[in-house]
CSV table of all heavy atoms in Angstrom, one decimal:
chain,number,residue,atom,x,y,z
C,797,MET,N,-15.0,-17.5,-52.6
C,797,MET,CA,-15.1,-16.2,-53.3
C,797,MET,C,-16.5,-15.8,-53.5
C,797,MET,O,-17.3,-16.7,-53.8
C,797,MET,CB,-14.4,-16.3,-54.6
C,797,MET,CG,-12.9,-16.1,-54.5
C,797,MET,SD,-12.5,-15.6,-56.1
C,797,MET,CE,-11.3,-14.8,-56.3
C,805,THR,N,-14.3,-14.3,-48.2
C,805,THR,CA,-14.8,-14.2,-46.9
C,805,THR,C,-14.6,-15.5,-46.2
C,805,THR,O,-14.8,-16.6,-46.7
C,805,THR,CB,-16.3,-13.9,-46.9
C,805,THR,OG1,-17.0,-14.9,-47.7
C,805,THR,CG2,-16.6,-12.5,-47.6
C,806,ALA,N,-14.3,-15.4,-44.9
C,806,ALA,CA,-14.1,-16.6,-44.1
C,806,ALA,C,-15.5,-17.1,-43.7
C,806,ALA,O,-16.4,-16.4,-43.4
C,806,ALA,CB,-13.3,-16.3,-42.9
C,807,PRO,N,-15.6,-18.4,-43.6
C,807,PRO,CA,-16.9,-19.0,-43.2
C,807,PRO,C,-17.2,-18.6,-41.7
C,807,PRO,O,-16.3,-18.7,-40.9
C,807,PRO,CB,-16.7,-20.5,-43.3
C,807,PRO,CG,-15.3,-20.7,-43.8
C,807,PRO,CD,-14.6,-19.4,-43.9
C,811,GLY,N,-21.3,-13.9,-38.4
C,811,GLY,CA,-21.9,-14.2,-37.1
C,811,GLY,C,-21.0,-13.8,-36.0
C,811,GLY,O,-21.5,-13.6,-34.9
C,823,ALA,N,-13.5,-7.6,-20.4
C,823,ALA,CA,-12.2,-7.7,-19.8
C,823,ALA,C,-11.7,-6.3,-19.2
C,823,ALA,O,-10.9,-6.3,-18.3
C,823,ALA,CB,-11.2,-8.2,-20.8
C,842,ALA,N,4.9,2.6,0.0
C,842,ALA,CA,5.6,3.8,0.3
C,842,ALA,C,5.2,4.4,1.6
C,842,ALA,O,6.0,5.0,2.3
C,842,ALA,CB,5.3,4.8,-0.9
C,848,LEU,N,7.7,3.6,9.0
C,848,LEU,CA,8.7,2.9,9.6
C,848,LEU,C,9.9,3.8,9.9
C,848,LEU,O,10.5,3.7,11.0
C,848,LEU,CB,9.2,1.7,8.7
C,848,LEU,CG,10.3,0.8,9.2
C,848,LEU,CD1,9.9,0.2,10.5
C,848,LEU,CD2,10.7,-0.2,8.2
C,854,ALA,N,11.5,7.9,16.3
C,854,ALA,CA,10.8,8.1,17.6
C,854,ALA,C,11.3,7.1,18.7
C,854,ALA,O,11.5,7.5,19.8
C,854,ALA,CB,9.3,7.9,17.4
C,876,GLY,N,5.5,1.3,23.9
C,876,GLY,CA,5.5,0.2,24.9
C,876,GLY,C,6.9,-0.2,25.2
C,876,GLY,O,7.8,0.1,24.5
C,879,GLY,N,11.0,-6.4,27.8
C,879,GLY,CA,12.4,-7.0,27.9
C,879,GLY,C,13.5,-6.0,27.7
C,879,GLY,O,14.5,-6.3,27.0
C,882,VAL,N,12.4,-0.4,24.1
C,882,VAL,CA,11.3,0.5,23.9
C,882,VAL,C,10.8,0.3,22.5
C,882,VAL,O,11.6,0.3,21.5
C,882,VAL,CB,11.8,2.0,24.0
C,882,VAL,CG1,10.7,2.9,23.6
C,882,VAL,CG2,12.3,2.2,25.4
C,883,CYS,N,9.5,0.0,22.3
C,883,CYS,CA,8.9,-0.2,21.0
C,883,CYS,C,7.9,0.8,20.7
C,883,CYS,O,7.0,1.2,21.5
C,883,CYS,CB,8.2,-1.6,21.0
C,883,CYS,SG,9.4,-3.0,21.3
C,885,THR,N,5.0,1.8,17.9
C,885,THR,CA,4.1,1.4,16.7
C,885,THR,C,3.3,2.6,16.3
C,885,THR,O,2.7,3.2,17.0
C,885,THR,CB,3.2,0.3,17.2
C,885,THR,OG1,3.9,-0.8,17.8
C,885,THR,CG2,2.3,-0.2,16.0
C,886,ILE,N,3.4,2.8,15.0
C,886,ILE,CA,2.6,3.9,14.3
C,886,ILE,C,1.7,3.3,13.3
C,886,ILE,O,2.1,2.5,12.5
C,886,ILE,CB,3.6,4.9,13.7
C,886,ILE,CG1,4.5,5.5,14.7
C,886,ILE,CG2,2.8,6.0,12.9
C,886,ILE,CD1,5.5,6.5,14.2
C,905,ARG,N,6.4,-0.8,13.1
C,905,ARG,CA,6.9,-1.0,14.5
C,905,ARG,C,8.4,-1.0,14.5
C,905,ARG,O,9.0,-1.7,13.7
C,905,ARG,CB,6.3,-2.2,15.1
C,905,ARG,CG,6.8,-2.5,16.5
C,905,ARG,CD,6.2,-3.8,17.0
C,905,ARG,NE,6.9,-4.1,18.3
C,905,ARG,CZ,6.3,-4.7,19.3
C,905,ARG,NH1,5.0,-5.0,19.2
C,905,ARG,NH2,6.9,-5.0,20.3
Side-chain angles (χ1 to χ4, degrees):
M797 278 202 152
T805 57
L848 182 60
V882 173
C883 296
T885 303
I886 299 180
R905 178 181 167 145

